[in-house]
Amino acid sequence: MTTLLWIIAMILVLGTLAYLRVSLLTTTIAAAVVMTAGWALDIVGPISWIVFLVIALPFNISAFRQNMISRPLMKVYRGIMPEMSTTEKEAIEAGTTWWEADLFAGNPNWKKLHNYPVARLSADEQAFLDGPVEEVCRMVNQHQVSHQLADLPADVWQYLKDHGFFAMIIKKKFGGLEYSAYAQSRVLQKLAGLSSELASTVGVPNSLGPGELLQHYGTPEQQNHYLPRLAKGLEVPCFALTSPEAGSDAGSIPDFGIVCKGQWEGEEILGMKLTWNKRYITLAPVATVLGLAFKLRDPDHLLGDKEELGITCALIPTDMDGVETGRRHFPLNCMFQNGPTHGNEVFVPLSFIIGGPKMAGQGWRMLVECLSVGRGITLPSNSAGGVKTAALATGAYARIRRQFKLPIGKLEGIEEPMARIGGNAYLMDAVTTLTTTGIDLGEKPSVISAIVKYHLTDRMQRCVIDAMDIHGGKGVCLGPNNYLGRGYQAAPIAITVEGANILTRSMIIYGQGAIRCHPYVLAEMESAFDTQSGQGLANFDAAIFGHIGFATSNFVRSFWLGVTSSRFSNAPYSDKTKRYYQQMNRFSANLALLSDLAMATLGGNLKRKERISARLGDLLSQLYLASATLKRYEDEGRQTDDLPLVQWAVEDALYKLQASLDDLLDNFPAGLGGVLRVIIFPFGRPLKRPSDVLDHKVAKIMQTPCESRDRLGKGQFWTNSEHNAVGIQEQTLLDIIASEPLHDKVCKASGKRLPFMWLDKVAAEGKALGVLSDTEVQLLERAEIGRMKSINVDDFDPAELRPEMVSTTSQERAA
């Protein structure tokens, strides 16, 4: 019995130390103490001590461990893990890791998350949102844009240029606005809630493009020439990366340049002949300056010994001879400017390379670094803004529209999709806020940007489908009063651009995350193939034994958190959110454990096992989405009225995580899934999807004017103006709610139950009965006008459905 207790004590001590991630030396000393206790109890004999010392001493003597253990392991490692290509290395090294690395490490520091600063707008940024952004939203008639002009009107283009909408990222010293990433996100959210064309037109120059690249890499001459002109709207930029043969695989672009001598302004100079054929380039039809990505070659070695210099970025004026701007693309009835551009052997000076000749071949690094920022702002913000507006508009519609003598929002079948829209609107705003906070702190979060691009565009598309289902014919019939139809049509565009979502999920999120976020893998890879510094073996030894300890810890943590359902793990609060933090502790440990096992069993083949990679990426992604939601709840003062939104968003994210984890275990390599399931889910899957009760609470918030609803739609364009059907409907919602007690008063006075329609007739009857004042009569009459406007759909003379043929070209309107 004493021996059994001693064995249990040894297991508990070692397990606790592994759980707490103490050092190897400390663990060895603790084990020696337990061995000594066993010696005193006559349980441990000399042979046991010899075995212990034979194991413990080599692992704690660094010189012996490096040469006798780590050196052979390094040779095995090199055979399993292929050396990274230059392109892969540049992509991995381009970005930075941030909060996602904590989630990947198996032991999130929640205090660290909540200590990140609360995102706030400066006075200038808030004034811009309240002034120019509000005004340009008033100016846009979306039906005119999408059906009549096939473009933004000329006065809107000019307003955008005059008020610096294309200069949000440009520094003030060049005449730009120099807004924070958070401010850019809020601007795009507001614009996207009204018009995808407006948001796309503003988003692209402030994302990956000439402005961003020039500020980071441009020569002083390039910056001083282009940036002030871009800031004033004298130049309209676009960036041409995608080719017909290279979409998501941007590194395989066939466009090329040849270093050669040629004539330029009457002199022979050293330059490049560029040949390109680009497609799907936003703003290309109206651009005056073209950012161009191509592969540069130097066959005559005019720049040095290297012949293939690699991807390079240059700025090309579009009015140059040989630069051909093609006709417009027609992306799903979304009328933002998009089209092809091509050129054949267009000669330009080397000074056209962004950053000058010294940056030849550095384009891939430039693109990846800038893309990690732009991808984290534009498309996620546009998606969040669209869903926020759809959430409140759908809530208002569901409260106004009646079927079966009830507002449709009270029907349980309607509550279910409404809850998905409302919960996602809360989550998506939270995610954009946390992501832009990281960017404003100086991060270039390549992994996070892939997560938010994929998940927010995907959730946006699903929410728009839900909103269309609820609106029915109101959403199907296009016209000035339809605020959903064009967004529904355009949703696949966001899914497709900046890396198709299928590949983003299956290759990019975990492909980068496994290496960048893991505390040891990148160090192992770099040190294993380091033959120059002389420190390769020592660095590999530190990394590999750190990794072994890390994996052991995550095994213990996964087992303990599974057995206890994580109830004893750390959480920063003891309220209704406590269990969410604890469950995320558990899933974080599971992610870390499964990542190590997947890499150990598959090695370099893991990147080809895309479905395994995708599910591991899902775990990381959903942890990030859930933690952003909890961060928002904290930053907004833990408003208990918002708890249904918080709970729905987190429970949905964690349920999706659990589903991916379950699928991963079913398909885990080397037949380990069954064993791992016992460790990870010893009592079965612990989580359920959001309940019907929670759905009801979220749907109720969406339909009821209150502070929670205001926070849900914060910052969107709600003004009751001529062309804003959503703003008009918001006023109708207030009128309908105020009309309900008046309707009941007339019913009571008349002795009959009148249907809640024809409110103008109800008003007349109430006036005749003497139970309504003139003000109340006017309210009912106004409510009826708004009610019919909300539930009716637009109709047209057949001739009106033919798009108006305007005399000016889109380029002239934008000039």
Side-chain angles (χ1 to χ4, degrees), residues 131-371:
V133 179
E134 181 81 9
E135 180 58 28
V136 81
C137 286
R138 288 176 183 267
M139 295 169 66
V140 171
N141 177 342
Q142 181 58 25
H143 179 69
Q144 179 192 50
V145 170
S146 61
H147 182 69
Q148 296 171 344
L149 297 181
D151 192 10
L152 296 172
D155 61 334
V156 172
W157 272 101
Q158 195 59 49
Y159 191 89
L160 295 174
K161 295 175 182 179
D162 292 344
H163 290 82
F165 279 83
F166 299 155
M168 289 191 290
I169 63 169
I170 296 177
K171 296 184 183 300
K172 290 181 179 179
K173 68 179 181 179
F174 297 114
L177 299 177
E178 200 174 345
Y179 283 167
S180 65
Y182 176 64
Q184 295 173 48
S185 175
R186 306 312 289 190
V187 170
L188 293 174
Q189 285 188 35
K190 190 166 186 174
L191 299 179
L194 174 72
S195 167
S196 58
E197 289 86 355
L198 190 57
S200 298
T201 300
V202 171
V204 168
N206 291 289
S207 181
L208 175 63
E212 179 83 0
L213 294 170
L214 279 169
Q215 290 199 128
H216 284 87
Y217 310 104
T219 65
E221 293 78 13
Q222 290 171 340
Q223 292 176 340
N224 292 329
H225 174 75
Y226 278 113
L227 290 176
R229 294 178 60 79
L230 289 168
K232 293 176 183 177
L234 299 176
E235 303 278 6
V236 176
C238 72
F239 192 83
L241 175 61
T242 309
S243 301
E245 297 86 359
S248 297
D249 183 12
S252 67
I253 54 174
D255 315 283
F256 64 92
I258 303 293
V259 178
C260 61
K261 292 182 179 180
Q263 292 294 315
W264 181 258
E265 297 180 347
E267 297 182 17
E268 185 178 72
I269 64 166
L270 189 60
M272 309 172 285
K273 278 187 179 179
L274 305 178
T275 297
W276 71 92
N277 180 28
K278 302 289 190 179
R279 290 290 187 273
Y280 326 118
I281 309 305
T282 300
L283 295 186
V286 297
T288 62
V289 59
L290 169 69
L292 184 67
F294 55 93
K295 290 181 177 176
L296 186 60
R297 304 168 188 162
D298 185 14
D300 297 327
H301 303 288
L302 298 175
L303 295 180
D305 296 333
K306 197 172 181 181
E307 185 169 327
E308 297 291 336
L309 299 178
I311 294 176
T312 301
C313 298
L315 291 178
I316 314 296
T318 59
D319 60 359
M320 282 185 58
D321 289 341
V323 178
E324 299 179 20
T325 299
R327 300 187 300 173
R328 287 180 63 178
H329 298 316
F330 190 26
L332 291 174
N333 275 334
C334 190
M335 300 300 179
F336 63 92
Q337 294 287 339
N338 187 276
T341 173
H342 19 256
N344 184 39
E345 295 191 347
V346 178
F347 183 79
V348 299
L350 289 175
S351 60
F352 278 27
I353 296 173
I354 297 176
K358 71 178 187 298
M359 295 302 289
Q362 299 298 309
W364 184 244
R365 177 173 63 86
M366 294 161 60
L367 291 172
V368 174
E369 286 182 349
C370 290
L371 185 61

Side-chain angles (χ1 to χ4, degrees), residues 471-641:
H471 282 76
K474 172 74 173 180
V476 168
C477 294
L478 296 174
N481 290 308
N482 186 327
Y483 44 77
L484 278 179
R486 294 300 188 185
Y488 172 81
Q489 288 179 317
I493 299 171
I495 301 294
T496 300
V497 299
E498 290 192 13
N501 272 7
I502 290 175
L503 294 184
T504 300
R505 174 177 179 257
S506 60
M507 295 178 65
I508 297 174
I509 293 174
Y510 191 77
Q512 288 188 320
I515 297 174
R516 288 308 312 269
C517 297
H518 197 288
Y520 298 104
V521 166
L522 183 58
E524 287 170 352
M525 295 178 73
E526 291 176 338
S527 58
F529 295 98
D530 178 10
T531 58
Q532 304 296 324
S533 70
Q535 292 295 312
L537 179 60
N539 293 337
F540 181 81
D541 173 76
I544 197 69
F545 277 93
H547 194 159
I548 292 169
F550 177 74
T552 303
S553 173
N554 288 314
F555 176 85
V556 173
R557 290 180 63 82
S558 290
F559 176 76
W560 175 249
L561 294 173
V563 169
T564 63
S565 192
S566 65
R567 290 187 179 277
F568 303 109
S569 67
N570 174 60
Y573 296 99
S574 298
D575 59 9
K576 291 185 177 181
T577 65
K578 178 180 179 178
R579 288 295 292 144
Y580 300 144
Y581 290 103
Q582 292 177 328
Q583 288 158 350
M584 291 167 73
N585 290 336
R586 175 181 183 174
F587 287 131
S588 176
N590 296 160
L591 169 62
L593 173 64
L594 294 172
S595 292
D596 280 332
L597 290 175
M599 286 186 279
T601 54
L602 292 173
N605 290 323
L606 177 57
K607 64 182 179 181
R608 286 181 285 276
K609 291 290 186 179
E610 294 178 6
R611 300 183 75 173
I612 298 294
S613 177
R615 290 165 182 142
L616 287 165
D618 288 344
L619 270 61
L620 177 62
S621 298
Q622 300 297 348
L623 284 171
Y624 182 74
L625 302 185
S627 61
T629 303
L630 294 171
K631 167 69 169 165
R632 174 181 180 177
Y633 184 58
E634 167 71 9
D635 289 350
E636 292 182 349
R638 308 190 74 76
Q639 304 288 337
T640 54
D641 289 345

